[in-house]
Amino acid sequence: MTLKGTGQLLFCIVLLFIARGTIAQPIYAGRYTTIFTAPPANVPTPKTPDAPLTGNGDIGLTFGGEPGELQYYFGKNDFWRAYPVYPGGGIALPGGLRLTIPALKGADYYAEQLPGKGVIHASFKKEAQQVTIDSWVAATHNTVVIEITANKTCTLQPVLWAAKGNTAINTAGTTEKVTWVTRSFENTPLLEWPCHVALAMRVLGNNGSTNKTITLAPGKKTIIAVTIYTSNDRTNWKEAAITEAKALTPAVIEKMYAAHQQWWRNFWDRSSVQVNDSVIEKYYYTSQYLFACASRGNKLAPGIWGPFITKDSTAWGGDYHLNYNYQAPYWAAYSSNHLDLTDNYDQPLLDYMEKGKVHAMELLQVKGIYYPVGIGPKGLCTTRWPLTPEEMLQRYGTRDNTIDSGYKFLGQKINAVFGAGNMLMRFYSTYDAVYAWRIYPYLVACADFWEDYLKLENGRYVIYMDHYGEVMPNLRNNGQWRQLLGDFNSTLSLGLVKMLFKGIIEVSTFLKQDISRQEKWQDIVTRLSPFPVGETGGRQSLRPVERSPAEWLNKPMGLARVSIHGLLLPGGVCGPITDSAFNNILLSDVAHWKDKMQHIGEWGNTLNNGIETCFPGAVRVGYDADEILQQLKDRIAVQSFPNGWITQGGGGIETLSAVPMTINEMLLQSYEGVVRIFPNWNHSKNASFSKLRAYGAFLISSRLQNKRIEFVTILSEKGRACVMENPWPGKAVQLIRNGKKSGQLSGIRFSFPTKENELIVLKGI
């Protein structure tokens, strides 16, 4: 073998190791520390906190307060007041820990949020006094650890507390060296299930000080650990918290921290991107960090605000809002290869199926499932109208609280199918048979509903009375809202219904189930009404609906957030490959978003809602990459918090998918059945990605350097055929399987078979 040939072989071997993940990749997240030089101003809050944050996907830690009196808020995804109306119902605050350090009153504030380590590091100085505090939520345990070191002797008073009120029952006590508090919801009318939480505190290394007053000795570390369990974790929730806290020692904490660090190393090794833009990369990795803090597959799913709860009665009850808020936070996790964060997604939707069937039959006289706009865990409905006519009048301008038998559907039939979008994204990303069997009954129930609900008129399937937006009584319309009902063929509905039937055909074929039903399902896909368009300003533009009683909907409005949900994300039924002519209409609509801007940062009208939808939607239709990135940076600058959380007027954690999903889609696309490498990226700008996940169960890495794609590596998990747009247009492509040349590929688009766990390298010739 020639020296040149030897070098090429070694290069391919390196690429194969990278594809497998056996060569460690740089943890780019560690570069993007977030620094705070002032105490948070937005804590406590019913929405997004602006404080340093960390968590383990179940327990969330919000670091509030001032140096002399720090305030830790402990949220937990599974601590709910299971009451069907908010305010009052929804996710609740377990409690927190107050640290009073008199010597630090008025001290300089400095804190760092460290995404590479899952730690909040703080340092407070006042004259010669300095105290450093490292806080972390153990990634593999139900324990919060706070490590405190002072350079001079001072005192600290820790006060563990449980939130009170809202019908809660509280207890407190001390067991040996453990201080504990509890909060419980039980035995109140309409409560669907009881829920309890215990917080147990142990102080270590404090030279015999009591838990009430701690003396911080110079250079000696004091550890305060709080173990938190709910009745959803353990039946013996209180005893478990106390027992585990009592067993803590410095050596146990050290082992816990080692496991914590290993978890975060493994997390960041799942995938990486480099785009040579420090602002975009910072928000890319910080967003993924915050979502990893908010969601863990073996725990209950996060609500709108994740576990970063700082008070009861958060906005919308912090529930699972099904007309996008619940689904959106997960969107980037599939392509970023963080599937473990998504394991909790399906359970609330599956748990509500029996109620959904009752709603469908009793309210609409159809089969299948029909979901209200908001649910919670364990079959909980969170969105009932106020229980008395008087409260209904005060809040909504009408005394009629019996609308839809007292449930908030808000004129929308599509919520259950909206929930199916994420299921299909994960299925296409994994082709996992166990997962397919898990979700298949839900998909069938959705199909049952729409087979019954759709009407076949004049050779096409049409959708009546499923509304583009929420339609409901409110104080602005004085409760007069029924005249707004009557949307016909909403783009949201048409897109998501097409997504459903295309998806269930794929899943049923994969599982070899209900093959006899596929003819009907395919007929719906084929004959579903076309997406409505009209003319505006001499060009074709998307209409939100075919017709509506609401005058503002009866004209072309262009592609917008709600339509994107049906057509592009999660719908995935449109794009440049699927229908290039229709895609050009959508592309033209995106190009006119700037016409509607009055201020920098308003592109796509995303200040209230939609940053997680509009930016990746613009990528999918092929809008200019440089313009998207600039608009994204402008949007971030206008409305985001110091902790890296991009905020908006509506929901919360859904914005955490905005930057990762936008970048992932720029570097790799596969949602139209064709893998595309750097499909919407300026090729004069260097970029690379490692182990992003594509539909077909492929893990893909590539690098663009000096205007040329250097290589593509593919790990095929399930041995499916790979259809790819040629990364080197006009050139032949060398196919290398497990380090050996295996023929050449050519053409604008090509397909090649793969084997399970096969490693493939593609290089332009």
Side-chain angles (χ1 to χ4, degrees), residues 574-618:
C574 297
I577 295 172
T578 304
D579 185 340
S580 60
F582 182 66
N583 188 77
N584 285 337
I585 294 174
L586 305 183
L587 184 57
S588 175
D589 284 341
V590 173
H592 282 79
W593 283 356
K594 289 200 294 186
D595 299 345
K596 302 176 183 179
M597 292 175 59
Q598 295 182 352
H599 303 284
I600 292 175
E602 291 183 333
W603 194 68
N605 191 31
T606 60
L607 290 179
N608 189 54
N609 279 316
I611 185 175
E612 70 296 313
T613 306
C614 291
F615 283 91

Side-chain angles (χ1 to χ4, degrees), residues 668-689:
L668 175 69
Q669 287 181 22
S670 58
Y671 75 100
E672 292 183 276
V674 179
V675 174
R676 304 168 67 208
I677 309 298
F678 296 104
N680 193 5
W681 185 259
N682 183 341
H683 281 216
S684 66
K685 295 183 177 181
N686 295 341
S688 65
F689 61 90

Side-chain angles (χ1 to χ4, degrees), residues 206 212 394-395 526 538-539 545 573 637 657 716 720 754:
N206 62 323
K212 294 182 178 180
Q394 181 181 10
R395 291 176 58 192
T526 302
R539 65 180 181 89
V545 298
V573 294
S657 70
S716 175
R720 297 181 61 82
T754 72

Side-chain angles (χ1 to χ4, degrees), residues 528-540:
L528 192 65
S529 294
F531 305 120
V533 297
E535 186 174 305
T536 180
R539 65 180 181 89
Q540 290 291 293

